[in-house]
Amino acid sequence: MAKAPKVQKTNAMRELERKGVPYILHTYEDDGVEARGLGEAIAEQLGEDPGQGFKTLVTVSPAGNHVVCCVPVAEELDFKAAARAVGEKSLEMLPTKQLTAVTGYVRGGCSPIGMKRAFPTVFDETCVLFDTVFISGGRRGIQLEVPVESLLSCVGAVVADICRA
């Protein structure tokens, strides 16, 4: 029986362990492509329900406040709804070139857990339809399956309808 490859722990894994939140590690082949539909391709590769996989989008308000938004991988963020959910006037995507400096993560490997700083976080309301959800493990090629209630508590997330209709 072949041994599973050893995976170096990420900040997301360390933070979950520190807070006593269980998770299941899933790995996938990362082809390095950063195209639209990446989350859907990962879900397909791992045999997951795309509604159960959540992508992490980092946004910024006009005042410079960062907000982490997590939506199902096949959905798009409704910026106005997300802003309302966290009491901001408006939100826009953080420029990709600023992502690593702000979060410590790269595009395609950004996790809502273990960022350089804790930011207000909002998950789309569909997350409560599942016992567990899949999020980035903090590096491309790694996903974590985490119990929803534990995840929401861990990051102090708000749950709201933040997907485009």
Side-chain angles (χ1 to χ4, degrees):
M1 182 172 178
K3 258 186 149 176
K6 185 158 173 80
V7 175
Q8 184 179 4
K9 286 192 179 170
T10 64
N11 286 344
M13 290 181 233
R14 285 189 282 276
E15 184 70 11
L16 287 171
E17 289 173 5
R18 189 177 72 72
K19 292 186 174 186
V21 177
Y23 65 87
I24 299 170
L25 173 70
H26 299 271
T27 59
Y28 62 91
E29 285 297 317
D30 175 29
D31 60 10
V33 176
E34 294 184 359
R36 262 184 136 47
L38 176 63
E40 291 171 273
I42 293 167
E44 184 178 322
Q45 188 180 140
L46 294 174
E48 301 167 357
D49 174 347
Q52 195 174 358
F54 282 74
K55 58 187 171 189
T56 303
L57 305 172
V58 182
T59 62
V60 62
S61 73
N65 299 321
H66 296 97
V67 177
V68 177
C69 301
C70 298
V71 297
V73 297
E75 301 296 328
E76 290 190 33
L77 178 64
D78 179 332
F79 289 95
K80 288 182 180 182
R84 278 192 306 274
V86 295
E88 290 289 348
K89 188 173 183 174
S90 64
L91 293 172
E92 62 183 41
M93 286 300 295
L94 179 71
T96 304
K97 63 184 175 191
Q98 296 176 19
L99 185 65
T100 301
V102 170
T103 67
Y105 292 127
V106 297
R107 184 169 189 258
C110 190
S111 179
I113 302 163
M115 290 187 181
K116 287 183 174 183
R117 284 189 36 218
F119 298 113
T121 302
V122 59
F123 267 80
D124 184 67
E125 65 186 1
T126 58
C127 70
V128 301
L129 300 174
F130 304 97
D131 293 331
T132 62
V133 292
F134 297 89
I135 58 169
S136 173
R139 186 169 47 243
R140 291 179 65 119
I142 299 174
Q143 272 205 331
L144 304 177
E145 182 178 358
V146 186
V148 173
E149 292 303 323
S150 299
L151 174 61
L152 297 174
S153 176
C154 180
V155 295
V158 172
V159 175
D161 180 4
I162 60 168
C163 287
R164 284 194 185 159

